[in-house]
Amino acid sequence: MKQALFIAAIAAYLVSEIYPSEWLTWLQSGLSLVIIVVAFRSIKPFVQLLGTIFLSTGAILLAVNGASWTDYFLSFGSMLNVLSLFVLIPMIALPIELAHYAVRVQAILYSKVQHSGMLYCITSLLSYILSSFMNLATLPMMYHSIQPSLQYYPIQQKDRFISRAITHGYSMPILWTPVAPIVGIIVEMTGVSWSAILPIVIPFSLLGLALDWLMGTWVANRRLKKISLTTLEEISAARESAVVHQPNASNEVKGSHPWQILIAIVVLNVLVFVLERFTHMGFLLLVSIIVIPFAYVWSLMLGKGMAFITSSQTLLSSHVLKMKDQFFVFLSAGFMISAIKSTGSNHAINEGIMAIQHAIGSNLFLLMIPLIPLALAFIGLHPAVGLALAAESLNPQALGISVQLMAIAMLTGAATAFLMGPYNATAGMMSNLIGKSSYKVSNWNAPFTIAYLMMSMILLLILKKVG
């Protein structure tokens, strides 16, 4: 029943955006309200508490302003645009899985990579590339592709090595990739043009990746100095033996070349760029609509069209059911955001924020913006929810900050939230993969997160100065 409700709500939203209708708007609100009620008993206690706070706050705001029952009812469903992207994005990972790219990646690693520092950089790079396409599905795919290779390199803390390499590379494309819901939320709520910020956020994300390589290589070189020559020779011999046997092991399934993924990434981003410029659709809606056709065409070109259809049905059914927590908290937060908008409370919030800005100065206030999603991540709030609330409360024009600068500040903060938030899906999934606590995963990412955050603040100050 839950699966049908979730899918029906997403379908109602997508259809209503393409063919606007009053009864579809009522249907969205009704389905959203039913989902909140039905999902409540089956979700985690913390999520129940968080959603209840959102719902209570929204209800109080509406009550104080004397809202009618229709205002209460129609305030539900405003975050279905974000949820639709969360539901549909995993479909784009299917061609990558069906083409068995991971098999070719393993073969390249065994034959070409001889240094643990190089292994770290390649792992981080591949994670970056896949994250720009697969989002959260990157983590398990990268882990299972790289983990078997770790035994052939002089790495003492293998779990920390692979966790840091994957999560650091994974978090950097969150600054710009259209498949990241965070990007869609910020683009739509700030009103910034996605294509306008790309010339800044893509180079900066690559700079973050380079910073990760620099730090990872330095750690690897320091580690090598502490390992005896005999141990290094034994590990090298084991790796050479693995290279000899690897071709025989991969004859049954020969993966497609990873360069195809890079071509697909370029095509997808060009497609989104062009459609954003020449259509009037919202960014989240645009990406949601093209994800499945794009993934299907890619699968057809791989000769996997029927396999995609079969796999997508199974994946959609299982994935939607796992999203009950997200549906509850996002729809509850959407109710509160709608109440804030309809009652004009956002003006009062913005006045308070402006008072803080005048007290501490515009430069310091700008540097505090990336800290908002990071701070909220430590109290268990998903970065997407935190940024949706922040974007609704901050008025760039009133604060004397350009829309582009505000969006960039939020995006850099979102990346740090995914790196260090102990309660988000990134830390949770990596924790399950390596068998360590999410707090440990978060702590391992602390040095890079701090360095990246400092670099982000320098960028924001430079952008503000040059206007």
Side-chain angles (χ1 to χ4, degrees):
M1 177 183 175
K2 292 189 184 76
Q3 293 163 303
L5 275 174
F6 296 161
I7 294 173
I10 296 300
Y13 158 72
L14 293 174
V15 174
S16 69
E17 288 295 314
I18 299 172
Y19 301 105
S21 170
E22 186 177 349
W23 74 268
L24 280 173
T25 302
W26 282 78
L27 178 61
Q28 287 180 66
S29 298
L31 288 171
S32 299
L33 178 57
V34 172
I35 288 171
I36 289 173
V37 174
V38 170
F40 185 82
R41 296 184 62 182
S42 60
I43 59 179
K44 300 171 185 174
F46 178 76
V47 178
Q48 289 178 337
L49 175 63
L50 199 60
T52 301
I53 292 172
F54 292 148
L55 293 169
S56 301
T57 304
I60 291 171
L61 289 173
L62 291 170
V64 168
N65 286 270
S68 65
W69 73 268
T70 56
D71 293 326
Y72 282 89
F73 187 81
L74 292 175
S75 293
F76 289 99
S78 66
M79 292 285 273
L80 282 173
N81 54 350
V82 180
L83 287 167
S84 66
L85 197 56
F86 273 112
V87 168
L88 298 175
I89 279 301
M91 300 298 125
I92 210 166
L94 286 177
I96 295 177
E97 295 175 3
L98 293 172
H100 302 289
Y101 291 106
V103 174
R104 185 69 70 89
V105 168
Q106 282 188 345
I108 293 172
L109 287 178
Y110 281 124
S111 60
K112 304 293 184 182
V113 180
Q114 299 181 356
H115 187 273
S116 59
M118 185 183 294
L119 177 65
Y120 183 95
C121 293
I122 289 178
T123 302
S124 177
L125 174 63
L126 292 175
S127 184
Y128 181 97
I129 293 170
L130 293 181
S131 175
S132 64
F133 222 124
M134 299 173 65
N135 205 252
L136 197 60
T138 298
L139 302 182
M141 181 173 179
M142 283 302 304
Y143 177 81
H144 294 301
S145 299
I146 302 298
Q147 196 276 336
S149 306
L150 297 184
Q151 60 182 311
Y152 301 117
Y153 298 88
I155 303 169
Q156 292 179 332
Q157 298 186 47
K158 294 179 173 57
D159 290 337
R160 185 177 69 172
F161 177 93
I162 194 169
S163 173
R164 291 169 66 174
I166 293 175
T167 55
H168 295 179
Y170 161 82
S171 299
M172 291 299 97
I174 287 170
L175 287 168
W176 60 268
T177 177
V179 304
I182 289 289
V183 174
I185 290 172
I186 293 174
V187 166
E188 293 213 345
M189 291 202 159
T190 61
V192 72
S193 168
W194 177 67
S195 55
I197 62 173
L198 282 182
I200 297 173
V201 291
I202 289 182
F204 188 69
S205 74
L206 292 172
L207 188 60
L209 184 67
L211 174 66
D212 181 42
W213 290 356
L214 182 65
M215 295 177 69
T217 303
W218 177 78
V219 171
N221 289 335
R222 189 180 63 174
R223 187 191 306 117
L224 279 175
K225 295 177 182 178
K226 299 179 181 179
I227 300 175
S228 67
L229 182 61
T230 304
T231 302
L232 288 174
E233 290 175 348
E234 291 174 353
I235 294 174
S236 178
R239 185 168 62 247
E240 290 175 4
S241 177
V243 171
V244 173
H245 293 93
Q246 179 66 18
N248 296 328
S250 55
N251 275 340
E252 296 181 8
V253 180
K254 186 177 180 180
S256 300
H257 201 286
W259 279 109
Q260 294 176 4
I261 301 177
L262 288 175
I263 295 171
I265 290 172
V266 172
V267 172
L268 175 65
N269 282 275
V270 169
L271 182 61
V272 173
F273 180 88
V274 171
L275 290 176
E276 187 204 30
R277 298 293 291 269
F278 296 102
T279 68
H280 299 288
M281 287 188 287
F283 187 80
L284 287 168
L285 175 64
L286 178 63
V287 178
S288 298
I289 288 175
I290 68 173
V291 160
I292 293 181
F294 183 87
Y296 179 62
V297 170
W298 186 4
S299 299
L300 279 178
M301 294 177 69
L302 294 168
K304 305 283 185 179
M306 286 304 300
F308 174 84
I309 294 173
T310 304
S311 300
S312 62
Q313 292 172 346
T314 304
L315 177 61
L316 182 62
S317 179
S318 61
H319 175 63
V320 166
L321 195 58
K322 295 175 184 176
M323 287 189 62
K324 56 184 182 295
D325 286 9
Q326 288 94 325
F327 266 87
F328 180 81
V329 76
F330 274 85
L331 292 176
S332 300
F335 175 79
M336 185 178 75
I337 290 172
S338 294
I340 290 173
K341 283 182 179 179
S342 63
T343 60
S345 301
N346 53 334
H347 299 301
I349 295 172
N350 199 62
E351 287 177 3
I353 293 171
M354 287 177 63
I356 296 173
Q357 185 209 28
H358 291 317
I360 65 175
S362 59
N363 285 343
L364 184 57
F365 180 81
L366 177 63
L367 298 183
M368 288 177 62
I369 295 175
L371 299 177
I372 295 174
L374 180 60
L376 293 176
F378 273 91
I379 64 171
L381 201 61
H382 191 284
V385 178
L387 284 168
L389 296 174
E392 185 56 41
S393 303
L394 297 173
N395 184 334
Q397 287 77 19
L399 294 169
I401 300 172
S402 70
V403 176
Q404 290 84 358
L405 192 57
M406 177 75 76
I408 293 168
M410 289 183 173
L411 287 169
T412 55
T416 64
F418 279 99
L419 280 165
M420 277 202 70
Y423 304 109
N424 64 39
T426 307
M429 183 172 289
M430 186 54 66
S431 170
N432 292 332
L433 288 169
I434 65 176
K436 304 290 184 181
S437 74
S438 58
Y439 293 99
K440 188 172 286 293
V441 172
S442 174
N443 290 338
W444 286 339
N445 289 335
F448 174 72
T449 303
I450 293 170
Y452 171 77
L453 192 57
M454 296 300 295
M455 192 170 68
S456 301
M457 291 178 172
I458 293 171
L459 169 72
L460 293 174
L461 291 175
I462 292 173
L463 291 176
K464 187 174 185 295
K465 189 173 182 65
V466 300

